[in-house]
Amino acid sequence: MDKNMYSLDDSFDITEFLAEMPVSEGIRLSQESICESPSFPSLHEACETGNVPAVKCWIRENVSLEEKNVDGHAPLHLASLKGHLEVAKLLINKVVDLEVKTTPLRQTPLHGACWNGHINVVQLLLDKGAKLEEKDISDQTPLHRACGNGHIDV
């Protein structure tokens, strides 16, 4: 990473700078990683907001990429629901379970991407082997969810 590419103006993003820094050069807060700083977004927050540098930081820290939050969503669910293609790619490249189900609705990441009409994420999940015929607690497939929400282009 070219450290000179950052300037101290409005475009400077300290989160991106620190998350992209190699571990050997990484700044540590006492014995913790920068990812554990109170102001740093959690993995779930980073996935939901599409914060690629923060997701990379968490991946580098080898945290569980399938742990569910209090709402029963794994990180891939959140990235898929919000249409964050780059985040979904990062998670899938780390071999997360494409069929992980939310609790209590038992929906897969594909259900979420279809529900919100995120065609690029739907295509990625299908290309990587997600099952189109998986049913949720209401016996609905991802395609049912897409059509039911008006996303006939999915």
Side-chain angles (χ1 to χ4, degrees):
M1 173 177 59
D2 180 8
K3 293 178 187 172
N4 296 323
M5 70 183 227
Y6 295 95
S7 61
L8 294 177
D9 60 17
D10 291 339
S11 66
F12 181 75
D13 182 350
I14 189 68
T15 303
E16 183 174 348
F17 176 78
L18 294 173
E20 294 290 331
M21 188 175 285
V23 174
S24 62
E25 297 177 23
I27 296 173
R28 299 287 183 209
L29 303 175
S30 66
Q31 296 298 320
E32 302 176 354
S33 82
I34 189 65
C35 298
E36 295 167 353
S37 163
S39 62
F40 202 82
S42 72
L43 173 62
H44 288 85
E45 291 169 332
C47 290
E48 188 170 18
T49 60
N51 187 333
V52 172
V55 172
K56 286 180 179 179
C57 184
W58 285 114
I59 288 171
R60 192 175 66 218
E61 292 293 317
N62 293 315
V63 298
S64 169
L65 300 178
E66 296 184 10
E67 185 175 321
K68 294 178 182 175
N69 64 10
V70 296
D71 296 324
H73 293 97
L76 186 56
H77 287 120
L78 298 170
S80 298
L81 278 165
K82 298 293 183 169
H84 298 302
L85 182 63
E86 292 306 312
V87 171
K89 285 179 184 177
L90 286 170
L91 296 170
I92 291 168
N93 287 337
K94 287 297 178 180
V95 194
V96 297
D97 181 5
L98 296 178
E99 302 306 321
V100 63
K101 302 217 178 186
T102 59
T103 51
L105 300 178
R106 304 205 35 81
Q107 293 181 338
T108 65
L110 186 57
H111 280 92
C114 286
W115 175 262
N116 288 318
H118 299 302
I119 295 172
N120 291 338
V121 176
V122 168
Q123 191 63 57
L124 172 69
L125 291 166
L126 290 172
D127 289 348
K128 295 295 184 175
K131 297 175 185 165
L132 195 54
E133 61 282 345
E134 255 330 286
K135 293 183 179 178
D136 63 16
I137 197 167
S138 301
D139 213 30
Q140 300 290 302
T141 67
L143 194 53
H144 288 125
R145 292 295 179 192
C147 292
N149 216 24
H151 300 294
I152 57 172
D153 50 339
V154 170

